[in-house]
Amino acid sequence: MLDRDWPAPADLSAFRLDLPGLTVMTIDPGAMTLVTGQLDAALSHFGLDQTHGWPGTASGPSYAIRTGIDRALVVGHDLAGGWHGAFGATEASDALTTFVLQGPAMSAALLRLGEISLTRPSASATFLFAGYRGVLYRHEDALRLHVSRPLAPAFAGHLEAVLADMTA
Amino acid sequence: MNFTFDGMDLTGRPGDTIAAALLRAQMRIVNRSFKYHRPRGLWGAWVEEPNAILDVTLNGVRTPNCRATTTPLAAGMAIESVNTALTARRDPLAVLDRFARFIPAAFYYKTFLWPSWHLFEPTIRKMAGLGRMDGTQDFVPAAPQRHETAELLVIGAGPAGLEAALAAARAGLDVVLVDDRDTPGGSLIDRAEHLEGQSPADWAAAMISAFRAAGGRYLPATTAFGAYDHGLFLLAQRRDHPAAPALIRLRADRAILATGAIERPLTFVDNDRPGILSLHAGQAYLNRHGVLAGQRIAILSTGDAQTAATQFRAAGAAVEVIEAGEGRAEVEAVHWFARHLRGLTLTDGRRIDCDTILASGGWTPAVHLHCQTGGKLDWREDIQAFVPRADRPQILTIGAAAGTFATDDARSDALIAARGDRPALRAQDPVRKAWPQLGQSRRAWVDFQNDVTVKDVELAGRENMRAVEHLKRYTTLGMANDQGKISNMPGLATMAAIRQVPIPEIGTTTFRPPFDPVSLATLAGPKREALFAPPKRLVLEPLHRAAGALMREYGGWLRPAVYTDVEAEVSAARDHVTLFDGSPLGKIDVYGPDAARFMDFIYYNTMGNLKPGRARYGFLLTEGGIVFDDGILFRLSEYHFSVSCSSSHVDQVANLLDLWRQDQFDPDRVFIQDATPHWATLTLAGPKARALMARLDFGIPLDDAAMPHLSVVQKDGMRIARVSFTGDCSYEISVPARAAAALWQRIVTTGRDFGLALQGVEALAILRMEKGLIFVGKDTDGTTMPHDLGFAAPREKKQVEFVGKRSLFTETASRPDRLQLVGLACQGAPLPVGGHATAPGQPASQGYVTSAAHSPTLGKPIALALIAGGLGRMGEEVEVYHLGQRRRATICPGCFVDPEWERLNA
């Protein structure tokens, strides 16, 4: 396997799947920062009033998603990496690739990705999808899924494989 | 529907299984037994079938080992028997049966040993075995997978399961009902048992309609093959042959198991003859498929068989019912002639002419899923069977699976279970015992599929393989792909008789998933080929490819192995300057007021006294004191550190940090976040690296005073560190990934004036080897401690507690002959990696070569090795043994180039 020839990955900036009842594509949601520590202090710094878990419903260009007991992903803001008195900030704008799932079949698509209860909330929006760790939440009428950038090409291939035979 | 079996043209009907079609075509012999190549026919009608395992080719796709009783017939199928030299009807290897006394259970421990078992093994393996793989087929389509959740999972759509599922759905629960048949009804269909004035099919269909109307989800053709922790069940949903079943992972708050029971065979001489089936199978073939198992049927049963006999007579068969079991006449002989069953003789002298024997030795509840979750069993003397103990509050078992065989009782219990309550135990009328008899002169089969007889169990008893786990492994009873569904109980009963103890004292072996064999394609799903273990991708991969790099996997990343020539890249790094993509290097942020104290605890080395802007090389240890990872720790500010761990180990190190943070420290004062994917790291290394950096002009002073080795500067969103893994002056420039391409291009363009070359991982491996710098996991193993690598000072001097500290002082850790990292010098070709070092002419290993290569810098081979007591054996000669060859080598210091480390500041 170590000697395998791997083909060059496709350009994910143009990634798009058009399936019955479902569209999947990548977007650039803007600056992203991972914060860890006193989340209230971090939210206050960014002018946000809450974090969203699962399913949550984030909206607009700026929001915070809870990813752990004392961790969150802040979208729409950047902050220099480092300790900020009560929380640490880690630049993440280039750490994550963002996939958007949209359409009436997006819930059915989720069942092919991982063990995600559509009815049971979770404080954390972090999930495991067939070994790929990601952050998943509702954003307005779509689902957003952030995956580690280096694994995003493989994850895109996984999406194609598991969603290809979806019917409306 | 036309199909072929062993080359014969046959016809089946829509809705037939392969087994039903073969039976309809009066194919009595469908296979040959595993060891003795005895002719075998159908025994069962569904998952319990042990004999009819066949290879099926359809539309050019060959699928080995299909169970005929559960595989639907399709037009055009070419079906072949397995484990035969010719056909099922004619197998020259049947001569082996004449030598049965020489090949009993476990014969391979006693015979075919001289001169070597391996001489005989290939031939023996060819003569035994099941289906054949098609070597031309290298692609099996992926099976889909999905997840489901439910408040209640009901397994089994027989009368008990249907009642429970409907009641629960009507009570408002989210219910999923699964059944491995295409249509509901279970045993009602097999027995043609009418309910509430309706045919079983109509009654079951009505129940399903009502269930769906109440919001229930019904999954037919779906086998629940595994029950796991926390309410997880794995289901295989059948698709059209030859497609592998789809996998469903279902998480349920609770479950009701209505999985029924499996009919036991009767154990008598020659009970494996074709034409001997289970009584229930005879009914199932008739009532589901309209196929009579025979025209002259003898029923041997420990229970009431009159209803079944009436059904067979109504279909046109002549039937004789014989009571079997304790106190009744036994079978003295089975008459088999010209490949046909002719009759049987009982011990009371009666001879019954027949072409088919339908046998029933009682019922064994299907307790598998209950036991897979760790549930225990209780013995029921009345039904002579094990039933689930009431020890699983979230999993209830009802109906025949719980030992309740009457339909009305099972339905009543189902309503109780639907409410979440446990039904009370129902005593049954005692069944007649019909366990195997010991001491018979002729063979009686216990396990059809693995050719295990009562004599084999007796042999196991004589050889003291009397515990149930030993019995199983010694005789292979229950180890075939029918997993002992019909053989376990007779086997246990036989051993109980041998040991003269009650059956429950023998116990059972451990039930493990799958209940029924599952295709690997089902389990793999999309995780195959490129998606099986995909590597992480570098943001600069397009540029590497454009530069002609050979891309290979290293530590979970796809990286440039080499651009031009490995040795040329090494030379460029030593003579000029090279550019290397070091992006995978870990960058784990550790923050907080206690971050410094945390770093002192995590690292072997003292780290808390690092000043902001400085870095230090250190080791992370396991609690056992073993080197877990190494790397550079940067202190970026008073409360901010960055752990630069090995590229392949970032997730594990992050987990380790999180673990200790939660265990030992105030979580409000230490925080951890992995920043690795955000950054790209470009490394310049070589004597001209500093000059190139000056030309690039990042606005930072580069003199040794301002930026000494092991220092870091943050500027304009970049981190520039002076660290070295090659021993030459070296800089790591980290930028956000989106800025990497532009920076790379700028460096390549600017670097032309300095003889810049691109450097791959292979060259890096040689450069660091020349300096004796380790790769953890290659130059260390599961025993290596830091002092084995020459880093003894913290062990001796570090005062504060750190991970692994006390393990560094055990007797083992203090032995002088520990494997220690040294260099090996030799002549000629590089030493073989993995070659073992010995004293000259001696056989005992004293260690092994961990890294070896030709050094372009030195023009000779170098190697690193872990050698017993190596650090105290400098200059000593050893031999390196590998694949029959011996080479001479001399133990030397591991740093071959620039041992004074003067090139760092060049």
Side-chain angles (χ1 to χ4, degrees):
Chain A
M1 192 182 294
L2 295 179
D3 288 340
R4 182 194 182 96
D5 279 325
W6 291 90
D11 178 9
L12 282 188
S13 64
F15 177 79
R16 186 182 177 99
L17 292 178
D18 286 305
L19 301 162
L22 179 71
T23 301
V24 184
M25 58 186 162
T26 52
I27 62 165
D28 182 354
M32 289 184 282
T33 304
L34 290 163
V35 295
T36 177
Q38 304 290 338
L39 292 185
D40 290 342
L43 291 177
S44 174
H45 178 91
F46 293 111
L48 300 169
D49 57 10
Q50 64 168 337
T51 58
H52 302 274
W54 169 257
T57 305
S59 62
S62 172
Y63 52 87
I65 303 297
R66 191 86 171 270
T67 59
I69 288 178
D70 48 18
R71 295 189 172 126
L73 169 67
V74 177
V75 178
H77 294 277
D78 60 3
L79 182 62
W83 180 247
H84 293 272
F87 65 94
T90 296
E91 295 157 271
S93 300
D94 293 353
L96 302 169
T97 299
T98 305
F99 293 85
V100 169
L101 289 77
Q102 202 160 17
M106 61 183 183
S107 296
L110 279 187
L111 295 180
R112 291 174 175 232
L113 287 180
E115 188 177 332
I116 304 157
S117 173
L118 301 176
T119 56
R120 289 178 194 176
S122 169
S124 167
T126 301
F127 289 96
L128 207 57
F129 304 98
Y132 301 92
R133 190 178 302 158
V135 179
L136 172 73
Y137 53 94
R138 291 188 195 274
H139 182 269
E140 296 171 6
D141 62 347
L143 291 171
R144 284 193 177 182
L145 175 53
H146 302 279
V147 177
S148 177
R149 177 189 49 78
L151 276 174
F155 186 70
H158 183 80
L159 285 175
E160 286 181 301
V162 301
L163 300 179
D165 64 343
M166 275 193 64
T167 55
Chain B
M1 293 194 295
N2 296 328
F3 68 103
T4 66
F5 174 64
D6 277 354
M8 293 180 283
D9 292 322
L10 301 173
T11 302
R13 291 187 191 167
D16 274 354
T17 59
I18 291 176
L22 290 173
L23 198 60
R24 191 188 303 284
Q26 299 183 24
M27 290 291 113
R28 286 300 177 120
I29 302 174
V30 298
N31 224 348
R32 289 282 162 163
S33 73
F34 187 70
K35 192 161 55 171
Y36 303 123
H37 286 253
R38 286 169 67 89
R40 285 284 162 78
L42 293 167
W43 158 259
W46 196 236
V47 295
E48 74 280 7
E49 171 59 31
N51 299 324
I53 309 297
L54 308 171
D55 287 353
V56 177
T57 302
L58 179 65
N59 299 327
V61 176
R62 183 190 185 94
T63 308
N65 294 344
C66 299
R67 192 188 299 107
T69 53
T70 56
T71 306
L73 182 72
M77 275 184 170
I79 301 164
E80 295 171 45
S81 55
V82 303
N83 199 39
T84 169
L86 281 178
T87 66
R89 275 181 61 80
R90 287 192 164 75
D91 182 9
L93 290 177
V95 68
L96 286 171
D97 196 33
R98 299 191 185 177
F99 301 97
R101 63 181 301 179
F102 299 111
I103 46 175
F107 71 89
Y108 31 82
Y109 297 128
K110 306 166 194 167
T111 55
F112 301 101
L113 298 177
W114 184 89
S116 167
W117 160 250
H118 297 294
L119 183 65
F120 303 99
E121 185 183 6
T123 305
I124 291 175
R125 286 199 183 276
K126 272 186 197 163
M127 291 196 296
L130 298 179
R132 284 178 294 278
M133 298 287 291
D134 182 347
T136 66
Q137 252 171 253
D138 62 358
F139 180 72
V140 177
Q145 298 185 344
R146 69 177 195 271
H147 294 76
E148 299 272 2
T149 58
E151 289 179 293
L152 174 66
L153 170 65
V154 179
I155 300 173
L162 285 168
E163 289 284 5
L166 178 58
R170 282 177 170 163
L173 290 177
D174 174 26
V175 183
V176 171
L177 170 66
V178 304
D179 190 89
D180 57 1
R181 295 273 193 179
D182 292 334
T183 53
S187 58
L188 295 178
I189 309 289
D190 294 336
R191 295 194 301 268
E193 181 178 340
H194 284 52
L195 273 185
E196 297 171 0
Q198 299 178 69
S199 74
D202 288 345
W203 181 85
M207 291 291 281
I208 290 294
S209 290
F211 174 67
R212 283 179 164 145
R217 287 173 281 159
Y218 169 53
L219 301 178
T222 303
T223 302
F225 65 84
Y228 303 87
D229 291 339
H230 308 299
L232 178 66
F233 290 83
L234 293 195
L235 316 174
Q237 188 169 54
R238 200 161 56 248
R239 300 190 297 155
D240 289 339
H241 184 93
L247 181 69
I248 303 171
R249 293 184 175 88
L250 190 144
R251 185 84 61 176
D253 292 340
R254 61 185 184 95
I256 293 176
L257 308 181
T259 44
I262 300 169
E263 192 167 48
R264 286 198 285 264
L266 288 168
T267 310
F268 49 86
V269 294
D270 289 336
N271 62 331
D272 70 320
R273 289 300 186 192
I276 301 176
L277 293 84
S278 84
L279 175 59
H280 187 79
Q283 284 184 282
Y285 283 119
L286 177 63
N287 295 318
R288 284 186 183 268
H289 301 286
V291 180
L292 261 178
Q295 295 300 317
R296 292 173 295 129
I297 298 173
I299 296 177
L300 282 168
S301 176
T302 58
D304 180 7
Q306 291 305 327
T307 304
T310 301
Q311 292 174 349
F312 297 135
R313 290 186 184 111
V319 182
E320 182 151 354
V321 178
I322 304 149
E323 289 186 351
E326 209 170 31
R328 306 296 191 273
E330 292 166 20
V331 175
E332 186 175 82
V334 169
H335 304 295
W336 170 262
F337 180 71
R339 301 192 184 91
H340 285 282
L341 186 67
R342 306 292 179 178
L344 60 99
T345 297
L346 300 171
T347 50
D348 62 4
R350 281 184 289 164
R351 165 145 181 161
I352 291 108
D353 291 331
C354 60
D355 60 12
T356 303
I357 298 172
L358 299 180
S360 176
W363 291 88
T364 301
V367 301
H368 307 66
L369 294 176
H370 166 86
C371 292
Q372 286 173 12
T373 64
K376 302 299 180 199
L377 299 173
D378 289 325
W379 176 253
R380 287 269 302 273
E381 188 66 22
D382 53 346
I383 59 173
Q384 290 289 293
F386 289 102
V387 297
R389 183 178 298 173
D391 58 0
R392 289 254 136 342
Q394 301 307 107
I395 299 178
L396 298 174
T397 305
I398 58 174
T404 301
F405 299 114
T407 303
D408 288 343
D409 291 343
R411 292 171 69 192
S412 297
D413 288 349
L415 297 176
I416 298 169
R419 296 195 301 264
D421 296 326
R422 188 173 297 279
L425 186 68
R426 291 180 187 271
Q428 309 285 309
D429 291 333
V431 301
R432 280 197 299 278
K433 295 179 188 177
W435 299 120
Q437 299 299 309
L438 304 180
Q440 300 200 55
S441 59
R442 293 169 59 197
R443 290 173 294 170
W445 267 260
V446 176
D447 186 317
F448 296 132
Q449 195 165 80
N450 265 359
D451 257 343
V452 180
T453 65
V454 173
K455 284 176 175 291
D456 291 321
V457 180
E458 290 173 311
L459 174 63
R462 288 197 298 276
E463 303 209 352
N464 209 27
M465 299 294 174
R466 300 156 74 92
V468 66
E469 300 283 2
H470 290 157
L471 165 65
K472 175 180 178 178
R473 273 78 182 178
Y474 190 74
T475 63
T476 74
L477 184 154
M479 291 177 65
N481 65 35
D482 66 340
Q483 295 164 262
K485 289 182 176 63
I486 59 172
S487 63
N488 278 347
M489 285 305 303
L492 298 182
T494 305
M495 183 52 73
I498 291 169
R499 289 174 50 181
Q500 297 181 335
V501 298
I503 291 175
E505 205 165 307
I506 301 297
T508 65
T509 53
T510 305
F511 291 82
R512 297 186 178 90
F515 165 73
D516 205 36
V518 178
S519 163
L520 287 175
T522 298
L523 297 173
K527 288 262 194 191
R528 64 221 310 260
E529 308 275 334
L531 293 179
F532 178 69
K536 297 174 185 173
R537 302 300 191 107
L538 297 166
V539 69
L540 289 172
E541 182 174 332
L543 293 181
H544 296 316
R545 289 181 181 270
L550 175 68
M551 304 296 291
R552 285 290 180 264
E553 295 175 60
Y554 295 93
W557 287 83
L558 194 67
R559 307 180 71 172
V562 59
Y563 293 88
T564 54
D565 174 81
V566 174
E567 295 203 353
E569 292 174 16
V570 172
S571 297
R574 290 292 182 222
D575 298 336
H576 304 287
V577 57
T578 55
L579 174 60
F580 172 77
D581 186 347
S583 300
L585 278 171
K587 299 154 194 76
I588 302 173
D589 286 333
V590 180
Y591 306 102
D594 282 353
R597 196 164 65 84
F598 181 68
M599 293 289 87
D600 263 341
F601 178 77
I602 288 294
Y603 276 90
Y604 171 66
N605 318 69
T606 299
M607 295 298 195
N609 60 359
L610 265 178
K611 293 188 171 35
R614 300 305 297 268
R616 189 168 293 158
Y617 174 74
F619 294 100
L620 301 171
L621 308 183
T622 65
E623 285 186 85
I626 307 304
V627 174
F628 179 73
D629 199 67
D630 71 336
I632 304 291
L633 178 69
F634 296 96
R635 189 165 195 167
L636 300 176
S637 71
E638 184 181 0
Y639 294 140
H640 183 192
F641 290 81
S642 179
V643 175
S644 182
C645 55
S646 301
S647 308
S648 59
H649 224 189
V650 175
D651 290 339
Q652 294 90 328
V653 171
N655 286 343
L656 183 95
L657 297 177
D658 248 330
L659 175 74
W660 286 112
R661 170 201 176 218
Q662 295 178 50
D663 185 81
Q664 294 270 325
F665 287 80
D666 184 343
D668 288 334
R669 295 177 64 83
V670 179
F671 306 94
I672 297 158
Q673 193 78 259
D674 178 17
T676 308
H678 174 75
W679 298 94
T681 301
L682 310 185
T683 305
L684 294 175
K688 297 180 182 174
R690 197 196 310 245
L692 175 55
M693 284 290 290
R695 179 75 66 86
L696 290 167
D697 191 14
F698 293 113
I700 58 171
L702 298 172
D703 59 279
D704 288 342
M707 191 165 194
H709 176 63
L710 292 177
S711 62
V712 61
V713 171
Q714 299 183 87
K715 187 175 171 64
D716 299 332
M718 297 190 299
R719 286 180 194 171
I720 301 174
R722 195 174 151 197
V723 297
S724 179
F725 197 45
T726 64
D728 280 287
C729 182
S730 176
Y731 298 86
E732 290 180 356
I733 310 161
S734 296
V735 295
R738 70 184 67 194
L743 178 61
W744 180 276
Q745 299 283 30
R746 184 174 160 223
I747 292 175
V748 168
T749 302
T750 308
R752 288 194 190 115
D753 292 343
F754 299 87
L756 176 80
L758 302 180
Q759 176 201 306
V761 178
E762 292 298 315
L764 179 72
I766 296 176
L767 288 163
R768 62 96 200 169
M769 201 191 311
E770 290 178 340
K771 294 298 294 180
L773 299 174
I774 62 168
F775 277 144
V776 172
K778 181 166 168 47
D779 303 303
T780 69
D781 65 16
T783 69
T784 309
M785 296 180 169
H787 54 280
D788 299 326
L789 304 171
F791 291 86
R795 176 177 182 242
E796 291 156 9
K797 295 178 183 168
K798 187 173 176 180
Q799 297 295 314
V800 299
E801 190 65 37
F802 59 89
V803 178
K805 180 177 182 179
R806 68 182 62 193
S807 299
L808 298 176
F809 298 97
T810 63
E811 191 177 321
T812 303
S814 305
R815 286 172 63 121
D817 62 345
R818 290 182 57 80
L819 293 180
Q820 297 170 336
L821 190 72
V822 294
L824 287 179
C826 67
Q827 304 293 322
L831 292 171
V833 174
H836 279 265
T838 71
Q842 298 300 312
S845 172
Q846 296 182 348
Y848 59 96
V849 177
T850 62
S851 297
H854 178 262
S855 164
T857 308
L858 300 172
K860 63 180 182 181
I862 59 172
L864 299 175
L866 286 169
I867 303 290
L871 291 173
R873 297 170 61 181
M874 294 296 152
E876 198 173 308
E877 197 166 76
V878 296
E879 282 185 349
V880 175
Y881 173 86
H882 184 65
L883 295 179
Q885 304 293 316
R886 286 188 175 272
R887 300 268 307 276
R888 295 263 171 170
T890 305
I891 299 175
C892 62
C895 183
F896 295 90
V897 171
D898 180 35
E900 303 306 319
W901 291 83
E902 292 172 345
R903 295 177 67 101
L904 263 184
N905 292 315

